[in-house]
Amino acid sequence: WKATEIIILNLPTKNMAYRKVTAGHGGALHSQDLDGEALQATVLDLEWDMEKELEEPGFERFQLESTGQRPAGNSTAPTDLDMEPVQPSVSPQGRFERLQEDPDYVSHFTRPAPKSSRRTCWKAAKYFVVGSGLFFIGLLIGRYTRQTGRSGLTPNNRTLPAPPAGPGDLHRVILQDISVEGIKARLRDFKQLSEEEEMSQVKLLLQQWTTLGLTDVHVTNYTVLLGLPGSSPNTITDKASSRCFLPNGKSCDPKSYNPQSMEQLFTYAAYSANGTLEAAVVDVRYGTVDDLIQARISDNVTNKIALLKLGHAPFLYKLSLLAEAGFGGVLPYVDPCDLPNERQVLDEAFGITLNPGGDPSTPGYPSIDGSYREKLSNLTRLLVQPISASLARELLSAPGTASAVRDKCTPLTMPATAARKIIILHIGTQTAYQTVHNVIGYLKGGINPDRYVLVGSRHRSWAGVSAAGADSGSAIITEVVASLTAQIRQGWQPDRTTVFCSWGGSAFGNIGSFEWGEELRQVLLSNAVAYVSLHHPVRGKGPLHAIASPSLQQLAADITHKWPTFNCTRHGECSGSYVSSAQTQGDVDYFANHLGIPAVEFAYQETKAAQKPSFLSEALFPASSSVTETLDPSFSFHAMVAKLTGEAILRLVNEPVLPVNALDIALDVQNKLQGNDELPTERLLALAGALRESAQLFQSDEMRPANDPRERDPLRVRMLNDVLQDLEKNFLASPAPPGCYRNILYTLDERTPRFSILMDAQDVLKLHRSNETALLSLSAISNAISSAERHLRAGIALFENDPKRKN
């Protein structure tokens, strides 16, 4: 009776439990754990042929130390090994996680042979002689290498580059290279440029990125239709008193204003209709459906001028409701009670765009030579002019000032006894074709150079408007480029390609990013795996907020939780970071919303950001109202966003399996459907349950290559990543309500976890008593969930090889 011991390997690519299996003569196999820890897992029946497995690709490093004859009992031993599979570890949120790398473990395979074999002994002697020879040769080579290393010279008399750092070391080096001083110096360079000249910023970025070592750095130009101010400011005149006001509330008296003032000329609505309208002012508050119903009850609103607060919903969505209700003009403003106490903008007007995205003259296709251009002068029939809160108070006949009382702010509203004022609104904006510029630079990958991680910021494009956010993003992205290219010069190369982008025309409707994305649409659909945004990294002094696709929320949470102390903002007060999938402003729009590319963004916001109405960032205030030094005088927030962004880039370009969480998408879908009693969602909940089951199966099995030796094949890992990167594309609904994302995985804000198209369906139901929009919305959601479930099922079937597992 002779027993043979078989070590089932702990492969170096993943942590896989191994067991010591003893086979008796003609008997069954019995196992004993070598780890000494009880693995809480279910039984997995792996039908492996050990000899066949050793012939699989990737096993050339494993060799049999002896190949002598085995006892006859081995030939009759059963081939089914009952083993405990390694179940995915579960995070505190109950999410599945992939197995972690274990670079310290060295795998080996041994199989002792019978002592009676002369052939085996002769082979052992030969191996000993050969091994001894190789050992002495290695000593000689090692001695020579040490001498060369001490001298610091190569045979060509040049310094040897440092060896590439491991994943953990590389992350640490990247974070150390990003400094406050570096960001401050780069920000100083951008602030010295002229605010009106976009080309000077483009040239500086082009020069810096090329010098730092990015490859194929170039500028892409697009001639597009822009909404521009007229030769004189727009005006609002009170007919009763004949007082003429500028948008900021100041008098139209020529002695009190400069016709060429940037603040006065550039506080307008891009792409608004032109003309003059005399009508009564109607207070519609935030322009919700309930507000509009109340306004229509009190009076006929046809051709009236709506006084509208920004917030609660996208401006374009509320504008569509106002146009449908019959209004002729709109005066949007920001209520001071909706802003943090640090920002006093009572007497400041702002700019705003009515463009949903891209060149309006080439909707849906790039603005390049040969493209047909539609002839239009505006994007709405409404006369739109943003005004200051002080002018809004004057038109509402509201007493006092909303910011007079610090402890309790009183929102602006029209008193019940006040008579509606009749005003004359004059708007003289215009449209013209101009050129916008993008700066694009590549950091090429080594293993998968055709897989792109996009990193985007913006440069200034709207003259006279605050440039703090644009300059901050440009400084941070350049500092990240400098840190990464420093490691390139040390011999490191990322797995995937990183594409750094600085967008032009962002303030007019993300025109630069839309046109570039439309021109490369098919390439990006196939190759882009993620988008990392630096649109406005420091928006306030509050806690850190991470905006991420549901599939990247776990990645964002893992990164932000590594630095909990950096969420301390004032005098040691600490608050946890926030991770949500609320739709955000900026150039991430086209990639996440129209291409379904997973996206992530890190930014500091005000503490009350989640409690206050959202979408206030649609207002573009003059440059004097927001100063970087006021928000972040120590530049610690800038440095932290740069470090978080750098680590996100490294994980996206380096991890063999993309850090995309399929199960989180399924859980997010279920969360959005629960608690919605106004619409029939029973069938949707059933579909969401099926999606969750498929996601759980996919993530616990197919995302763990250690469960199947064939998964270690690079081609199979590539196939796995293709399934992950295309998952969000299933959730693009068309058409979507104005101002809302087509990607239904994003919510309107952090406080309302629901599908935005269901909000639109409920609003239509209230306004028109029609259920047709609701049925269309439910159908769109149903199709998206079913498509995603089939996508995962197809991915599972792609990796199924054993007929028993298929059944």
Side-chain angles (χ1 to χ4, degrees):
W1 292 68
K2 201 71 178 176
T4 299
E5 294 183 353
I6 301 176
I7 301 284
I8 296 179
L9 306 176
N10 181 0
L11 296 172
T13 55
K14 298 290 177 182
N15 289 339
M16 179 176 178
Y18 60 92
R19 304 173 69 93
K20 184 177 180 181
V21 182
T22 304
H25 178 71
L29 294 172
H30 302 283
S31 62
Q32 177 185 359
D33 288 339
L34 296 182
D35 286 338
E37 296 179 1
L39 296 176
Q40 301 177 357
T42 58
V43 177
L44 175 66
D45 186 21
L46 295 180
E47 298 182 341
W48 287 355
D49 185 314
M50 186 62 67
E51 296 291 341
K52 183 178 180 179
E53 177 184 339
L54 294 175
E55 298 174 1
E56 291 283 337
F59 278 83
E60 53 272 11
R61 74 181 69 180
F62 302 104
Q63 298 181 359
L64 296 178
E65 291 185 357
S66 60
T67 57
Q69 296 178 355
R70 292 173 290 182
N74 286 347
S75 61
T76 60
T79 58
D80 290 338
L81 304 181
D82 290 334
M83 300 177 58
E84 296 181 5
V86 180
Q87 295 298 323
S89 60
V90 180
S91 69
Q93 294 83 9
R95 297 167 179 164
F96 288 87
E97 297 178 350
R98 289 177 297 281
L99 297 175
Q100 300 298 317
E101 300 283 349
D102 188 5
D104 298 330
Y105 183 82
V106 179
S107 300
H108 64 277
F109 184 88
T110 61
R111 178 179 296 168
K115 296 180 181 180
S116 59
S117 175
R118 295 183 179 180
R119 184 179 178 183
T120 300
C121 295
W122 175 247
K123 282 190 175 183
K126 282 201 308 182
Y127 291 157
F128 177 79
V129 173
V130 174
S132 300
L134 292 176
F135 175 77
F136 286 109
I137 293 174
L139 286 178
L140 294 176
I141 295 175
R143 181 168 182 172
Y144 173 77
T145 303
R146 288 183 61 191
Q147 291 176 351
T148 305
R150 287 175 181 174
S151 66
L153 300 177
T154 65
N156 294 327
N157 201 30
R158 290 183 295 183
T159 303
L160 283 171
D169 296 334
L170 180 62
H171 288 201
R172 185 172 61 254
V173 171
I174 292 292
L175 298 182
Q176 290 175 348
D177 285 349
I178 296 174
S179 65
V180 168
E181 292 75 16
I183 296 175
K184 189 182 299 184
R186 300 185 192 283
L187 189 60
R188 191 182 308 117
D189 293 338
F190 288 106
K191 285 188 174 182
Q192 293 175 353
L193 301 176
S194 171
E195 291 187 2
E196 293 77 21
E197 183 58 43
E198 179 190 3
M199 201 59 202
S200 61
Q201 306 162 54
V202 170
K203 290 179 180 179
L204 178 59
L205 286 166
L206 183 68
Q207 180 266 328
Q208 289 184 340
W209 290 7
T210 302
T211 303
L212 289 172
L214 293 185
T215 59
D216 190 20
V217 184
H218 60 275
V219 177
T220 61
N221 304 314
Y222 299 97
T223 301
V224 299
L225 186 69
L226 298 183
L228 301 173
S231 57
S232 61
N234 302 327
T235 59
I236 299 97
T237 304
D238 184 350
K239 186 176 181 181
S241 63
S242 298
R243 293 182 60 189
C244 177
F245 298 95
L246 296 173
N248 59 5
K250 296 180 180 180
S251 172
C252 295
D253 186 354
K255 297 181 181 180
S256 64
Y257 77 93
N258 178 6
Q260 301 302 321
S261 169
M262 291 296 175
E263 179 182 351
Q264 295 169 1
L265 280 179
F266 288 87
T267 53
Y268 70 104
Y271 306 103
S272 168
N274 296 325
T276 302
L277 174 64
E278 179 181 331
V281 174
V282 179
D283 182 14
V284 296
R285 301 186 181 181
Y286 290 101
T288 64
V289 169
D290 294 334
D291 292 335
L292 294 181
I293 292 176
Q294 185 65 32
R296 291 198 305 185
I297 292 175
S298 60
D299 195 2
N300 181 13
V301 299
T302 303
N303 288 330
K304 299 293 177 38
I305 299 175
L307 200 55
L308 172 70
K309 295 181 184 181
L310 293 185
H312 286 309
F315 176 65
L316 293 183
Y317 178 71
K318 294 191 287 188
L319 202 66
S320 67
L321 295 179
L322 293 173
E324 184 180 355
F327 282 91
V330 182
L331 301 177
Y333 70 99
V334 175
D335 194 316
C337 293
D338 293 334
L339 290 172
N341 294 330
E342 290 82 356
R343 293 183 60 187
Q344 300 298 332
V345 293
L346 189 66
D347 297 321
E348 293 180 353
F350 53 90
I352 198 168
T353 182
L354 311 185
N355 182 13
D359 180 9
S361 67
T362 59
Y365 52 93
S367 180
I368 57 179
D369 292 341
S371 296
Y372 172 76
R373 300 182 182 275
E374 297 184 4
K375 297 180 180 180
L376 46 84
S377 58
N378 56 70
L379 296 179
T380 177
R381 66 169 185 82
L382 298 173
L383 297 177
V384 183
Q385 173 58 53
I387 62 174
S388 66
S390 60
L391 180 55
R393 185 188 63 209
E394 175 72 24
L395 298 178
L396 290 169
S397 301
T401 171
S403 58
V405 182
R406 295 183 179 181
D407 296 335
K408 185 177 180 181
C409 187
T410 303
L412 291 174
T413 184
M414 181 176 289
T417 57
R420 292 178 176 173
K421 288 190 175 182
I422 298 177
I423 65 172
I424 302 173
L425 174 61
H426 173 73
I427 295 179
T429 57
Q430 58 186 358
T431 56
Y433 284 97
Q434 292 188 6
T435 302
V436 299
H437 315 276
N438 301 327
V439 184
I440 310 294
Y442 292 81
L443 192 61
K444 293 297 180 66
I447 300 177
N448 295 295
D450 63 332
R451 290 295 180 260
Y452 305 147
V453 174
L454 309 177
V455 184
S457 65
R458 59 184 169 119
H459 46 263
R460 287 174 261 164
S461 57
W462 190 309
V465 173
S466 173
D471 289 347
S472 295
S474 297
I476 289 176
I477 195 173
T478 305
E479 181 72 3
V480 172
V481 168
S483 182
L484 292 175
T485 53
Q487 296 307 308
I488 293 291
R489 290 189 291 272
Q490 296 298 321
W492 169 72
Q493 188 174 25
D495 182 350
R496 303 177 182 91
T497 295
T498 310
V499 185
F500 292 95
C501 314
S502 182
W503 308 114
S506 297
F508 291 95
N510 307 315
I511 293 180
S513 57
F514 262 74
E515 298 310 306
W516 185 81
E518 288 172 349
E519 185 177 6
L520 300 177
R521 177 180 177 85
Q522 297 305 319
V523 175
L524 297 175
L525 282 172
S526 301
N527 297 356
V529 300
Y531 184 90
V532 183
S533 175
L534 282 166
H535 178 73
H536 197 166
V538 180
R539 306 167 189 168
K541 299 180 179 180
L544 177 69
H545 285 244
I547 306 296
S549 306
S551 61
L552 293 182
Q553 280 196 5
Q554 189 67 51
L555 171 68
D558 291 345
I559 294 175
T560 55
H561 290 166
K562 291 182 65 175
W563 296 280
T565 58
F566 279 85
N567 293 324
C568 302
T569 56
R570 296 183 182 89
H571 308 294
E573 295 181 4
C574 295
S575 58
S577 57
Y578 299 88
V579 181
S580 71
S581 293
Q583 73 176 61
T584 183
Q585 304 298 310
D587 295 282
V588 67
D589 184 352
Y590 183 78
F591 306 100
N593 185 26
H594 292 265
L595 299 182
I597 298 173
V600 63
E601 175 185 20
F602 301 98
Y604 279 93
Q605 300 181 7
E606 291 298 333
T607 305
K608 298 181 180 180
Q611 304 171 4
K612 292 293 182 180
S614 58
F615 298 98
L616 296 180
S617 59
E618 294 178 324
L620 305 173
F621 280 96
S624 59
S625 65
S626 178
V627 181
T628 302
E629 287 75 6
T630 302
L631 297 176
D632 186 21
S634 65
F635 284 84
S636 58
F637 291 170
H638 286 74
M640 179 47 52
V641 171
K643 294 176 187 292
L644 296 172
T645 301
E647 178 151 357
I649 294 170
L650 284 172
R651 291 189 59 179
L652 288 166
V653 300
N654 277 345
E655 290 192 2
V657 177
L658 289 171
V660 174
N661 200 306
L663 184 58
D664 277 358
I665 290 182
L667 296 174
D668 180 79
V669 169
Q670 284 188 321
N671 185 41
K672 287 183 171 66
L673 291 174
Q674 292 173 350
N676 195 330
D677 300 328
E678 300 182 26
L679 295 171
T681 57
E682 294 81 3
R683 181 175 179 274
L684 294 179
L685 287 172
L687 292 174
L691 174 62
R692 178 174 179 174
E693 291 179 1
S694 297
Q696 183 170 335
L697 177 62
F698 181 84
Q699 191 149 317
S700 63
D701 187 12
E702 305 307 338
M703 286 186 66
R704 294 169 56 227
N707 280 356
D708 188 339
R710 289 165 294 189
E711 287 292 332
R712 290 186 289 272
D713 186 345
L715 287 177
R716 299 184 65 82
V717 175
R718 172 80 171 228
M719 292 160 59
L720 171 64
N721 286 331
D722 289 345
V723 175
L724 292 174
Q725 79 178 53
D726 291 338
L727 182 56
E728 281 198 27
K729 294 179 175 63
N730 296 281
F731 292 93
L732 299 180
S734 180
C740 300
Y741 272 15
R742 289 182 55 214
N743 190 332
I744 62 176
L745 293 176
Y746 288 84
T747 60
L748 287 180
D749 54 54
E750 298 177 6
R751 302 166 299 152
T752 312
R754 64 173 177 175
F755 293 107
S756 58
I757 58 177
L758 289 183
M759 172 207 68
D760 179 51
Q762 292 169 338
D763 289 347
V764 172
L765 185 61
K766 290 180 181 179
L767 283 173
H768 305 290
R769 302 298 178 184
S770 172
N771 204 32
E772 181 178 355
T773 302
L775 295 176
L776 290 174
S777 300
L778 291 173
S779 177
I781 296 174
S782 174
N783 292 334
I785 298 174
S786 298
S787 178
E789 199 273 337
R790 289 192 296 268
H791 179 83
L792 288 177
R793 282 289 176 183
I796 295 172
L798 187 66
F799 295 100
E800 291 284 356
N801 294 286
D802 187 77
K804 294 183 178 179
R805 293 182 63 191
K806 288 184 180 180
N807 294 334

